Amino acid sequence: MERTAPLIHDMLRPNKKFPSVWCPGCGNGIVLGCLLRAIKAQGIDHNKVALVSGIGCSGRMPVYADFNTLHTTHGRALAFATGLKLARPDLHVIVIMGDGDSLAIGGNHFIHTCRRNLSMTAIVVNNKIYGMTGGQCSPTTPVDSVATTATYGNIDQPFDISHLAAVAGAAFVGRSTVFHVRELENIISQGLNKKGFALIEAISNCHTYFGRMNRIGQAPDMLKWMKDNTAPVLMDPEKRKDKVTRGVFVDKETIGFLQHYEQLVEKAIKNKELLKQWKQKREHKDDEAEEQAG
Amino acid sequence: MGVKLESKPISKLGYINYQEGNIYYVFHQGNETCAEAALLAGCDFYGGYPITPSSEVAEVLSRRMPQEGRVFVQMEDEIASMASIIGAALGGAKSMTATSGPGFSLMQENLGYAVTAEVPCVVVNVQRLGPSTGGPTSPAQGDLMQTKWGTHGDHPIIALSPTSIQEVLELTIVSFDFAERYRTPVVLLMDEIIGHMRERVGYPRKQDINIFERKKYLEPGEDYKPYSLDYDSDVPPLLSFGEGARYHVTGLIHDEAGFPTLNKKEVTEWYDRLYRKIDKGLDRILLYELYNMEDADTAIISFGISVRVGLEAMQKARQKGLKVGMVKLLTVCPLPEEMLRQVISGVKKVVVPEMNRGQLVLEIDRLNKTGVELIHVGTSDGEIVRPEDVLKALED
């Protein structure tokens, strides 16, 4: 694992704006750390990373990172990212969202982005609650959990983010927690390398609201909960029953939207000179991408 | 009576240099022409969602964009369509979407984002009748005020409204210029009749079009601030993502570097510049044509397809000896207020035909400081305003 101090100087913006907006002990910092180490490990040029986010606590992540950063509207990060990636296939487009952001208001964009299978990496920071607005119930709040909009306990069935992404057609789906830092970093790394859409669910803690209201405790208690209540997906199903699984659930070889589109263009372009120019432009971009990947 | 004012037609911009012998004439529909004109203007990216009466724009571009090696994508809804064109624009693309009323309502959220983050893009709204699902797909001009105020919070916006298919071609090209030049979304406000009507259109060659191209790349040693206050035009260049500038874009109110701020001074500076950049461009942005206004004691003021009705009524009135003039508004947001004030104060009566229950007429009323008689001739039943009804208002 990369030491922290050089990473901060290398990957975070020197001019902005610490301390962060997050509560002490928040998992968002851990997710950001994992992402930055993964980007560094892959040797991706900062100029070619676009970090896109939605609204919520996790949405503030891009402001700190020294990339091309885009803080969008609530739930729409994937749609902004789709336009950006299609216009600029040479960029590594990485999307950070929360559970409410990506699955409630952004649920439609979420399933369709999985289906479209454009090469981007999306991380959903799942803390099972709306943190920024003050602890309201989200689409991943478990049944019977308490939230400020579920004072008698939540009666809505929660989404399983990873399974939803898998059935919607994502090429890569993985899940870990902010307790399992190395594993999370490793899964993000795999996602960054994937051709097609990669979705990573990072289970995180909101001790300020979820932990306090549900009497789980402070940040360390919530991390301990992650340690005790999750298990690797490769473990014997008998032993891991009733536990939340971690690991890589989907890792498909797919052609991806961009390559499909390139094939379509080659069929459609009638002007031979234009076709030649277009191919050269694309090859040039591929070369650049390969160079960055080292 | 009457006013001596010069028209400000599209040709005055000098963007299209029609070359005799190199004009390609076609019998084309408004929506088809809008799509082809977008290609001529250099549109690199189209993200859209089907909705009548605008779908032909998407259909034509789904065929034509790949032929040119450009991107067409059908998004999951209009919210995503609007988001995708903003994302593409930040990557350096000239981008566009097209929709109609219900879709335009969904786009308001991210339209506001494009205003705030100052991202150039073109939004085509082919208006149809009524709120909600309304009366698909009868024509109307009921989205004028939504175009102006549809997204929340104070903000400036540019909207252009063609009255013929040739003007669809020209104003589509102008929309891209204004969007790029002023770093703002531009709404091309059509209506179902303009969208679906067929007329003879003369297409210029691509090389005969000369419009604004944005600066995309960081210069060595440049200290780039995407929202800098240091430009005379008040429009800082928008460098593309991926070209070394590594800046932040947000829908939050931001400082010169793009980072969120609630500092009163910074918020005020940002807001003032947002308005000032449009105000400084008004001389170019405001497009209109005046007909027979020199001796007129009555003025018809209108936009879009209703202008054609107005012109017909004007001719009939002139045949009857009435001194009627006409103002055709091509830029509908912002309005040419100074010109309109002069017109209104120079006549005895103003008639405003429009296919709604009174929207442009409210703006005219606001500018009517001298208490000139003001008559609205509207329809909201899916039918075009009839020239006879306008004539009646002129005669009364």
Side-chain angles (χ1 to χ4, degrees):
Chain A
M1 205 186 291
E2 187 77 22
R3 279 184 56 231
T4 306
L7 192 75
I8 288 173
H9 291 296
D10 191 29
M11 310 290 265
L12 296 183
R13 286 192 161 121
N15 51 348
K16 273 298 162 198
K17 253 187 182 180
F18 295 95
S20 73
V21 295
W22 302 317
C23 304
C26 177
N28 274 327
I30 299 172
V31 176
L32 179 59
C34 288
L35 174 63
L36 296 182
R37 283 190 295 272
I39 290 170
K40 188 152 176 105
Q42 300 299 321
I44 304 167
D45 179 357
H46 297 199
N47 289 324
K48 296 295 173 187
V49 176
L51 189 57
V52 185
S53 72
I55 297 292
C57 296
S58 65
R60 295 302 184 97
M61 218 176 273
V63 89
Y64 307 113
D66 190 13
F67 305 122
N68 305 280
T69 56
L70 177 57
H71 177 222
T72 71
T73 43
H74 197 19
R76 321 297 178 210
L78 287 168
F80 280 77
T82 297
L84 179 59
K85 178 69 182 178
L86 285 171
R88 291 296 297 264
D90 59 321
L91 298 182
H92 280 264
V93 178
I94 302 164
V95 185
I96 296 275
M97 299 167 288
D99 43 296
D101 192 38
S102 67
L103 290 184
I105 190 164
N108 197 31
H109 311 306
F110 182 90
I111 53 173
H112 286 277
T113 309
C114 291
R115 176 178 73 88
R116 199 172 287 121
N117 200 24
L118 186 60
S119 295
M120 304 192 289
T121 310
I123 301 171
V124 178
V125 183
N126 179 11
N127 60 8
K128 304 175 190 168
I129 203 137
Y130 287 86
M132 186 162 270
T133 44
Q136 296 83 8
C137 187
S138 94
T140 56
T141 305
V143 172
D144 293 336
S145 291
V146 175
T148 54
T149 49
T151 44
Y152 304 107
N154 175 36
I155 55 171
D156 277 359
Q157 193 181 175
F159 269 135
D160 181 323
I161 299 175
S162 293
H163 286 187
L164 182 61
V167 294
F172 179 92
V173 181
R175 171 160 64 202
S176 188
T177 82
V178 294
F179 176 80
H180 303 88
V181 176
R182 275 174 179 274
E183 183 184 78
L184 180 59
E185 183 187 324
N186 181 17
I187 292 176
I188 294 173
S189 273
Q190 290 180 56
L192 287 174
N193 273 326
K194 191 70 198 168
K195 183 181 275 183
F197 184 64
L199 187 282
I200 295 127
E201 178 185 353
I203 295 175
S204 185
N205 56 297
C206 179
H207 45 284
T208 304
Y209 291 108
F210 191 86
R212 181 165 55 85
M213 283 189 289
N214 289 289
R215 300 180 189 282
I216 299 172
Q218 282 300 315
D221 307 305
M222 295 196 78
L223 289 170
K224 188 166 181 306
W225 184 94
M226 292 174 210
K227 177 173 176 253
D228 296 340
N229 292 283
T230 65
V233 68
L234 297 173
M235 190 187 259
D236 177 2
E238 269 304 301
K239 286 185 187 161
R240 66 166 163 78
K241 67 174 180 186
D242 303 330
K243 291 193 175 180
V244 176
T245 49
R246 307 188 318 268
V248 174
F249 307 122
V250 177
D251 190 359
K252 291 190 286 197
E253 289 305 315
T254 59
I255 174 166
F257 184 91
L258 269 174
Q259 214 170 319
H260 273 301
Y261 196 79
E262 285 173 12
Q263 289 171 355
L264 180 153
V265 167
E266 280 169 32
K267 262 192 277 179
I269 294 184
K270 290 183 183 116
N271 180 331
K272 282 198 176 126
E273 187 51 35
L274 194 66
L275 181 64
K276 207 170 118 193
Q277 282 171 14
W278 191 81
K279 277 185 173 170
Q280 275 169 354
K281 202 169 106 190
R282 289 283 153 161
E283 277 163 15
H284 177 63
K285 280 192 173 150
D286 284 350
D287 291 346
E288 271 181 25
E290 269 169 33
E291 270 168 36
Q292 283 144 26
Chain B
M1 286 266 102
V3 285
K4 289 187 175 52
L5 284 169
E6 268 186 47
S7 288
K8 281 188 58 198
I10 304 166
S11 58
K12 215 165 182 183
L13 296 169
Y15 291 168
I16 306 170
N17 183 14
Y18 290 107
Q19 300 275 349
E20 196 76 30
N22 284 318
I23 304 170
Y24 181 59
Y25 289 100
V26 197
F27 190 61
H28 250 179
Q29 189 200 50
N31 285 343
E32 285 174 316
T33 300
C34 178
E36 291 293 343
L39 285 162
L40 280 173
C43 178
D44 304 292
F45 181 93
Y46 181 95
Y49 186 83
I51 183 168
T52 317
S54 78
S55 298
E56 293 85 0
V57 179
E59 287 167 354
V60 170
L61 288 175
S62 80
R63 179 169 52 81
R64 295 281 287 118
M65 293 292 263
Q67 286 176 354
E68 306 267 338
R70 311 184 205 179
V71 180
F72 170 91
V73 62
Q74 183 169 324
M75 297 301 289
E76 53 271 23
D77 56 30
E78 287 90 347
I79 301 170
S81 303
M82 191 64 218
S84 73
I85 67 169
I86 295 170
L90 287 167
K94 287 186 186 176
S95 63
M96 180 171 99
T97 188
T99 189
S100 185
F104 194 54
S105 291
L106 288 176
M107 287 179 184
Q108 295 303 327
E109 176 194 44
N110 287 329
L111 193 65
Y113 186 96
V115 171
T116 303
E118 298 179 62
V119 182
C121 53
V122 175
V123 179
V124 180
N125 176 11
V126 187
Q127 297 167 91
R128 67 191 222 188
L129 177 66
S132 187
T133 314
T137 48
S138 300
Q141 293 177 296
D143 301 354
L144 180 65
M145 283 300 127
Q146 189 192 19
T147 301
K148 191 174 171 67
W149 295 121
T151 196
H152 55 275
D154 289 326
H155 62 279
I157 194 134
I158 298 175
L160 307 172
S161 191
T163 74
S164 70
I165 311 306
Q166 191 69 36
E167 281 176 5
V168 170
L169 180 141
E170 292 171 357
L171 288 183
T172 302
I173 292 167
V174 172
S175 295
F176 277 96
D177 177 274
F178 287 178
E180 298 284 322
R181 191 183 293 271
Y182 301 108
R183 266 185 75 178
T184 177
V186 174
V187 178
L188 184 68
L189 194 61
M190 312 217 292
D191 55 70
E192 190 274 343
I193 299 174
I194 292 290
H196 280 161
M197 184 166 63
R198 287 176 187 275
E199 286 184 319
R200 183 174 186 252
V201 190
Y203 284 91
R205 296 176 305 178
K206 195 166 168 58
Q207 62 261 44
D208 299 328
I209 294 166
N210 179 25
I211 55 174
F212 184 90
E213 301 293 334
R214 84 173 97 135
K215 178 193 164 190
K216 294 182 179 175
Y217 307 104
L218 191 69
E219 278 156 33
E222 185 181 354
D223 177 22
Y224 177 62
K225 286 192 190 133
Y227 303 96
S228 170
L229 294 161
D230 297 340
Y231 289 84
D232 287 340
S233 64
D234 280 312
V235 191
L238 181 65
L239 304 189
S240 303
F241 269 24
E243 303 298 344
R246 296 208 303 273
Y247 59 95
H248 187 61
V249 178
T250 176
L252 293 162
I253 291 175
H254 40 267
D255 60 19
E256 288 183 81
F259 294 116
T261 183
L262 281 175
N263 173 308
K264 270 188 184 174
K265 179 171 170 286
E266 287 176 335
V267 171
T268 307
E269 282 172 349
W270 170 79
Y271 234 140
D272 287 349
R273 187 180 57 73
L274 198 67
Y275 273 85
R276 209 164 52 228
K277 71 173 181 180
I278 303 296
D279 288 344
K280 281 186 178 174
L282 285 181
D283 199 33
R284 182 187 297 271
I285 293 167
L286 300 177
L287 301 169
Y288 49 82
E289 290 176 23
L290 286 79
Y291 301 87
N292 293 333
M293 280 309 303
E294 299 80 9
D295 65 342
D297 58 17
T298 303
I300 305 171
I301 304 176
S302 191
F303 71 108
I305 190 65
S306 299
V307 166
R308 310 267 286 248
V309 178
L311 287 170
E312 170 91 10
M314 179 187 77
Q315 276 162 10
K316 284 189 173 151
R318 284 265 163 188
Q319 282 163 11
K320 291 186 174 188
L322 299 173
K323 294 199 166 170
V324 176
M326 170 96 210
V327 176
K328 175 212 275 192
L329 296 167
L330 294 164
T331 306
V332 291
C333 290
L335 281 172
E337 298 194 354
E338 188 47 44
M339 178 277 287
L340 286 170
R341 271 196 204 99
Q342 288 188 44
V343 166
I344 296 163
S345 59
V347 295
K348 290 184 196 155
K349 179 156 73 174
V350 173
V351 176
V352 181
E354 48 180 337
M355 272 192 292
N356 56 42
R357 295 185 84 93
Q359 297 199 13
L360 178 63
V361 72
L362 296 176
E363 291 287 86
I364 304 298
D365 194 25
R366 183 170 64 78
L367 298 168
N368 181 4
K369 301 290 183 200
T370 45
V372 169
E373 185 188 2
L374 179 59
I375 303 172
H376 176 248
V377 186
T379 57
S380 52
D381 56 0
E383 291 292 327
I384 195 166
V385 180
R386 293 189 308 167
E388 306 86 84
D389 293 339
V390 180
L391 191 61
K392 193 162 170 292
L394 293 168
E395 287 173 328
D396 275 350

